[in-house]
Amino acid sequence: MGCADVKQLLLCTGDVTKNLKSGIWNTSRSASNLELIKALENGNFQELKDTGDVADSHTKIFVAPNDPLQNLDGKADDYEIIAKLFFLDGKNINVENRRETTDQVFQYLNQLLGIQEVSTLVVSFPNVAFSKKNLKDTPDSQVYSSIDQIPKEEIQSWIDTWKIFEEKVRQGKIGTLGISEFGVPELEQLIPNVEISPESTQINTGGLCELPLDLTKYTEQKRLKVFLHSDPAALIDEKEITEAIRHACPNFPIRARADWVVRYTILSRKTSVIHRKGYFVKGSLI
């Protein structure tokens, strides 16, 4: 099957802690997606031929040849696995599609890396950013300036999507849940309407030196951990995913849309050292 027959692609970066060497950094990119973008730019992806039942007939999987996928060595209990799922469906939110995405994520983690469960799953919804300072919308992303601007249907989609992850917790696939970029107004919409509350919220403060007082009080009341991060609202856009796919399929004539990204970080429980870290990027052809 040639590239012209492909409807979807999965790009697997391999272990970015090995792939990224000193000297590749571009100071014009200060956000954490530099790691992903550079891994895609330098991947020279090759098609994974022996996929078994991992992908359907319309999906091709590409991996970085210098770091072939391999199952975890040792026992699962030896590692803490943190996965962050970025939904990039801001223009076409569909909860059933998100259910399919969630199932795909766990299928790929299991069959490509031997990961059957994650210690923590952090969820990143589109169109939401904690700090609006110096925020620039991309063609694929619209960030609301306040909770009052967010349609009720989209807020309901957070709740309905969260229930999908609650099912995974009950199935033993997820240990704890976290949320990304949710401040007090967003947390107040989510937490009262779900059964399993997030244990943490990750926020990009946009350079603020101190956390807002309302967030500090609310997270203390709800016993939520607050982590700072530098992830942008969308890790990758249409132009970047298209360029990455062109590396996988030279002279590819069609644009592509990034559907979702998963970043997995595997830590040794004994040493707290990163054992492996990488990304799965799912794209659809436009």
Side-chain angles (χ1 to χ4, degrees):
M1 179 174 62
C3 284
D5 302 316
V6 178
K7 301 298 183 183
Q8 295 182 320
L9 297 96
L10 182 76
L11 304 180
C12 309
T13 64
D15 186 355
V16 296
T17 65
K18 297 178 181 178
N19 294 340
L20 298 180
K21 306 298 181 181
S22 61
I24 69 163
W25 304 103
N26 181 340
T27 56
S28 66
R29 288 194 180 116
S30 59
S32 63
N33 63 342
L34 169 63
E35 183 176 68
L36 170 59
I37 301 304
K38 283 297 182 181
L40 293 175
E41 288 176 350
N42 295 282
N44 296 318
F45 296 99
Q46 295 180 356
E47 183 184 353
L48 184 65
K49 298 294 185 180
D50 184 18
T51 58
D53 59 351
V54 173
D56 60 42
S57 60
H58 298 296
T59 302
K60 280 196 174 185
I61 297 176
F62 290 86
V63 299
N66 58 336
D67 186 31
L69 295 169
Q70 53 185 335
N71 285 358
L72 282 178
D73 52 345
K75 298 179 181 179
D77 291 344
D78 294 339
Y79 303 102
E80 180 177 0
I81 301 170
I82 302 170
K84 185 170 183 178
L85 171 56
F86 297 82
F87 288 111
L88 304 178
D89 56 356
K91 289 187 176 182
N92 187 27
I93 295 173
N94 182 295
V95 173
E96 284 308 309
N97 288 345
R98 287 181 173 178
R99 178 180 295 277
E100 181 180 355
T101 290
T102 304
D103 289 339
Q104 287 177 347
V105 166
F106 279 91
Q107 179 188 30
Y108 291 135
L109 286 173
N110 182 19
Q111 297 186 356
L112 296 176
L113 295 174
I115 295 173
Q116 298 183 20
E117 59 189 66
V118 298
S119 309
T120 300
L121 179 73
V122 180
V123 184
S124 176
F125 290 118
N127 306 331
V128 180
F130 178 79
S131 173
K132 311 302 185 293
K133 182 180 179 181
N134 299 325
L135 191 64
K136 294 181 179 179
D137 291 346
T138 70
D140 299 321
S141 175
Q142 169 191 333
V143 177
Y144 298 109
S145 60
S146 72
I147 192 71
D148 296 329
Q149 287 191 345
I150 304 178
K152 292 182 180 180
E153 295 79 8
E154 187 160 347
I155 293 175
Q156 185 63 43
S157 75
W158 300 344
I159 298 166
D160 294 339
T161 304
W162 196 261
K163 292 178 180 179
I164 296 171
F165 298 118
E166 290 179 328
E167 292 176 11
K168 295 296 184 184
V169 172
R170 297 186 185 98
Q171 294 168 4
K173 298 292 186 181
I174 300 172
T176 62
L177 288 166
I179 192 70
S180 182
E181 291 300 280
F182 270 34
V184 175
E186 293 81 14
L187 290 168
E188 287 179 334
Q189 294 293 327
L190 177 69
I191 290 178
N193 295 295
V194 298
E195 295 183 18
I196 302 175
S197 295
E199 294 200 1
S200 63
T201 180
Q202 292 185 353
I203 58 172
N204 186 330
T205 62
L208 292 176
C209 297
E210 295 183 1
L211 295 178
L213 184 60
D214 65 334
L215 179 64
T216 301
K217 288 183 176 180
Y218 185 84
T219 53
E220 287 178 354
Q221 176 188 356
K222 297 295 184 180
R223 298 183 179 179
L224 281 171
K225 298 176 183 177
V226 180
F227 296 105
L228 303 183
H229 70 109
S230 57
D231 293 332
L235 269 183
I236 190 170
D237 60 24
E238 181 180 311
K239 178 181 177 182
E240 290 165 329
I241 186 66
T242 298
E243 288 302 314
I245 290 175
R246 288 185 188 278
H247 280 287
C249 288
N251 302 317
F252 206 85
I254 307 175
R255 293 185 299 128
R257 177 188 67 245
D259 298 322
W260 52 262
V261 176
V262 163
R263 178 176 64 218
Y264 58 88
T265 305
I266 304 171
L267 299 167
S268 168
R269 291 190 185 276
K270 292 182 179 179
T271 63
S272 296
V273 172
I274 294 178
H275 175 73
R276 197 184 309 168
K277 180 182 181 183
Y279 297 82
F280 291 163
V281 181
K282 188 69 178 289
S284 296
L285 305 186
I286 298 175

